Amino acid sequence: MGKESWAKYGMEKGQGTAMKSGAFVEAKEEGFEAAISAPSGPTGDQILKNAVEGMWSEAKKLTEEARQISGTVNRQKSKEERETVLDLTRVAARKAGLQAAIAAGWEQGWKEGILKRDSAKSD
């Protein structure tokens, strides 16, 4: 990779990391708020299960899509075709990473919200 390619990669990587970090924080806040207002016991457990299973399922689906796209790179006949598929792979992987950040953030927020909710009840 040339210097320009590395610079572009570094810039895109930084932007992707910032985007995932922001999504994680936002989802964490949402999970926290959901947990604070959630009922205790099986009903609350079901809320968590429904939310995170759907989020992680979407992340896995997007990851598989990225994997399938990337598997076609070496089948391309020209450099331009390979570059196009690599770009598609990057976009798909970015979507998968973003969805995983959302799922992880929501789950983390839920855990912290439950701890706060339950500690407030014991005070």
Side-chain angles (χ1 to χ4, degrees):
M1 231 184 229
K3 288 181 185 179
E4 291 173 5
S5 295
W6 276 111
K8 180 182 175 191
Y9 170 79
M11 188 173 75
E12 288 176 354
K13 182 76 170 165
Q15 289 171 342
T17 299
M19 187 172 51
K20 286 184 271 189
S21 178
F24 178 91
V25 169
E26 188 176 314
K28 184 177 175 184
E29 291 170 4
E30 290 174 13
F32 182 88
E33 291 301 320
I36 291 288
S37 62
S40 298
T43 304
D45 295 343
Q46 191 62 45
I47 292 169
L48 170 65
K49 182 179 178 189
N50 290 345
V52 297
E53 278 185 359
M55 289 178 205
W56 283 116
S57 176
E58 181 66 14
K60 289 175 186 173
K61 182 185 108 190
L62 291 168
T63 299
E64 184 54 35
E65 288 174 10
R67 195 172 286 131
Q68 288 177 0
I69 294 168
S70 71
T72 68
V73 172
N74 290 330
R75 291 186 220 143
Q76 306 310 310
K77 303 215 183 305
S78 71
K79 180 180 179 183
E80 292 79 21
E81 289 172 332
R82 284 189 296 278
E83 288 295 324
T84 298
V85 173
L86 283 171
D87 286 341
L88 292 172
T89 300
R90 279 188 213 103
V91 169
R94 193 174 297 124
K95 286 179 184 177
L98 181 61
Q99 183 61 37
I102 291 168
W106 204 95
E107 198 169 22
Q108 182 65 38
W110 177 273
K111 289 176 185 176
E112 291 176 11
I114 292 297
L115 287 173
K116 182 171 178 84
R117 182 197 69 193
D118 292 349
S119 70
K121 286 181 182 178
S122 65
D123 288 342

